[in-house]
Amino acid sequence: MQYYPPTIVRAIRNLSKLPGIGEKTAERLVLHLLRAPVEEVGGLASSIMELKEKTRLCAMCYSMSDQERCRVCADPGRDPALLCVVEQPADMVAIEKSGGFNGLYHILQGALAPMDGIGPADLRIRELLERVGAGVVREVVLATATNVEGESTAAYLAEQLNRFPIKVTRIASGVPMGGDLKYVDQVTIKRAMEQRHDI
Amino acid sequence: MQYYPPTIVRAIRNLSKLPGIGEKTAERLVLHLLRAPVEEVGGLASSIMELKEKTRLCAMCYSMSDQERCRVCADPGRDPALLCVVEQPADMVAIEKSGGFNGLYHILQGALAPMDGIGPADLRIRELLERVGAGVVREVVLATATNVEGESTAAYLAEQLNRFPIKVTRIASGVPMGGDLKYVDQVTIKRAMEQRHDI
């Protein structure tokens, strides 16, 4: 590192803070950027800055947006009576990619994790209850992760949503599609067996 | 991609132009940056811009520098009679890290590759000959790569440097240290055998 001038050392240090990028990879990226055209490098730097400057949370669902409301919330073709609760914007993107949902979303911005000091007040739970309380929503699909935090968040939300005259559902869990049974873990198989249904 | 707002799509596109970073990795990096503190993201963006704004080529050896002369050229403890010719700044860094060289460097900025249209005029060969012609240099170590381009560049330079009353050497090639002979390629073993020396 000390063999490079300070500007290069700084760029390597900053790039290696990113997840999955070590010092060696950062060094390779910096050497690439030094050879790349100035427009490409400027475009990269300004689009990184823009992420923080222009991206904000949608005022309705708390997903990422560059407008007051995100594309999904602003879409009149969506069913406002159907609300899907997820932990992170990336979860919403995964569901959108699947094409299997035509309602609106509510992004909690995390999951309950008492061990890490994350309680109900740290998530967008109050906003969820207010939104459901407005009376348009008929069904809430809890699509938090199927790990310990996600499951307990779903259980907590189901209890909280109990007071509204709506349907509360949980996304199905079981054997992944295209999955070979012998490679699926025991907990998933047990769950798939418990939730077996008629065909 | 279309599930994200345009600022995020732009950042993902720009990041995935980097070598070894695909769209999935770029998406993960962007989601990390969105959650990262604004100082960290600003620091990254500005250090990337600085790379192009502040880094220039050392006026003497053509390595990367943020001054008129790079750290190595400006170091009075270096032996100016010993000159090592490499293809790229990264090669110089590799030699510096080894600690096996105390002279100065000359970075060609590439290797001769007639098939790609890179001839002697595209490299810093004229500058090398001028530098050697100044009379201080006593030995030139040709440390271009040991591939076809590097070998032919070394041969060309050896011929050009012939006219000066100096010693021209080539870095040794052979079996890598710590290398198991059965994993070393045939060309390397043949070379190591040809260049065997007394112990």
Side-chain angles (χ1 to χ4, degrees):
Chain A
M1 287 277 275
Q2 69 268 40
Y3 310 108
Y4 288 113
T7 45
I8 294 180
V9 172
R10 200 153 44 234
I12 293 176
R13 289 243 169 84
N14 282 327
L15 275 168
S16 58
K17 279 181 200 159
L18 296 175
I21 294 189
E23 203 177 291
K24 274 270 172 192
T25 310
E27 190 178 332
R28 197 161 47 85
L29 292 178
V30 166
L31 292 175
H32 166 85
L33 288 172
L34 283 166
R35 282 196 301 269
V38 69
E39 309 81 54
E40 187 185 323
V41 179
L44 175 64
S46 67
S47 63
I48 288 175
M49 267 322 284
E50 267 185 10
L51 276 184
K52 281 294 181 190
E53 283 165 2
K54 296 200 185 155
T55 312
R56 50 176 165 164
L57 295 181
C58 168
M60 203 161 153
C61 73
Y62 304 100
S63 85
M64 296 166 305
S65 175
D66 50 359
Q67 308 282 325
E68 168 83 12
R69 292 201 176 185
C70 74
R71 288 168 42 110
V72 174
C73 288
D75 183 351
R78 292 284 181 151
D79 181 1
L82 190 57
L83 191 64
C84 178
V85 178
V86 294
E87 294 179 15
Q88 298 289 355
D91 302 327
M92 167 184 151
V93 170
I95 295 173
E96 281 295 288
K97 281 183 185 168
S98 78
F101 184 74
N102 193 37
L104 299 178
Y105 292 89
H106 190 87
I107 287 95
L108 293 174
Q109 305 291 338
L112 292 175
M115 301 288 278
D116 301 329
I118 301 175
D122 300 308
L123 305 179
R124 301 284 183 175
I125 292 179
R126 191 173 52 80
E127 290 86 347
L128 172 65
L129 298 177
E130 277 170 14
R131 215 173 148 187
V132 174
V136 180
V137 176
R138 291 276 140 258
E139 178 180 349
V140 171
V141 186
L142 300 172
T144 52
T146 51
N147 55 21
V148 177
E149 290 81 10
E151 289 282 320
S152 53
T153 307
Y156 178 84
L157 291 178
E159 200 190 299
Q160 293 287 312
L161 291 166
N162 215 1
R163 64 173 113 140
F164 299 106
I166 56 162
K167 201 164 137 188
V168 178
T169 54
R170 178 89 173 107
I171 44 155
S173 46
V175 179
M177 295 305 288
D180 197 330
L181 272 179
K182 65 175 171 290
Y183 299 128
V184 177
D185 66 286
Q186 296 163 357
V187 181
T188 302
I189 291 197
K190 189 162 173 253
R191 175 67 67 98
M193 202 50 87
E194 285 165 2
Q195 300 190 343
R196 65 187 182 275
H197 53 78
D198 296 331
I199 51 165
Chain B
M1 287 277 276
Q2 69 269 41
Y3 310 107
Y4 289 113
T7 47
I8 294 181
V9 172
R10 198 152 46 232
I12 292 176
R13 288 243 169 83
N14 281 326
L15 276 168
S16 58
K17 279 181 200 159
L18 296 175
I21 294 189
E23 203 177 290
K24 275 268 173 192
T25 309
E27 190 178 332
R28 198 162 46 85
L29 293 178
V30 167
L31 292 175
H32 165 86
L33 288 172
L34 283 167
R35 282 195 303 268
V38 68
E39 308 83 52
E40 187 184 322
V41 179
L44 174 65
S46 67
S47 64
I48 288 174
M49 269 320 287
E50 267 186 12
L51 276 183
K52 280 294 180 191
E53 282 166 3
K54 296 199 183 158
T55 311
R56 49 176 166 166
L57 294 181
C58 167
M60 205 162 152
C61 74
Y62 304 100
S63 84
M64 295 166 306
S65 175
D66 50 359
Q67 308 282 324
E68 169 81 14
R69 290 200 176 186
C70 74
R71 287 168 43 107
V72 173
C73 288
D75 182 353
R78 293 282 180 152
D79 180 2
L82 190 58
L83 191 65
C84 178
V85 178
V86 293
E87 293 178 16
Q88 297 290 353
D91 302 328
M92 168 182 151
V93 170
I95 296 173
E96 281 296 286
K97 282 183 182 166
S98 78
F101 184 73
N102 193 38
L104 298 178
Y105 292 90
H106 190 88
I107 287 93
L108 292 174
Q109 304 292 339
L112 293 175
M115 299 289 278
D116 301 328
I118 302 175
D122 301 306
L123 305 178
R124 301 283 183 175
I125 293 179
R126 191 174 50 81
E127 290 87 345
L128 172 67
L129 298 176
E130 276 171 13
R131 216 173 148 187
V132 173
V136 180
V137 176
R138 291 278 140 255
E139 179 179 348
V140 171
V141 186
L142 299 172
T144 52
T146 51
N147 53 23
V148 176
E149 289 83 8
E151 289 282 319
S152 54
T153 307
Y156 178 83
L157 291 178
E159 198 190 301
Q160 293 288 313
L161 290 165
N162 214 1
R163 63 173 116 142
F164 300 107
I166 56 162
K167 200 163 136 187
V168 178
T169 54
R170 177 89 172 109
I171 44 155
S173 46
V175 180
M177 296 303 290
D180 197 330
L181 273 178
K182 67 175 169 290
Y183 299 128
V184 177
D185 65 286
Q186 296 163 355
V187 181
T188 302
I189 292 197
K190 188 162 175 252
R191 175 67 68 96
M193 201 50 85
E194 285 165 3
Q195 299 188 344
R196 66 187 181 275
H197 53 78
D198 297 331
I199 52 164

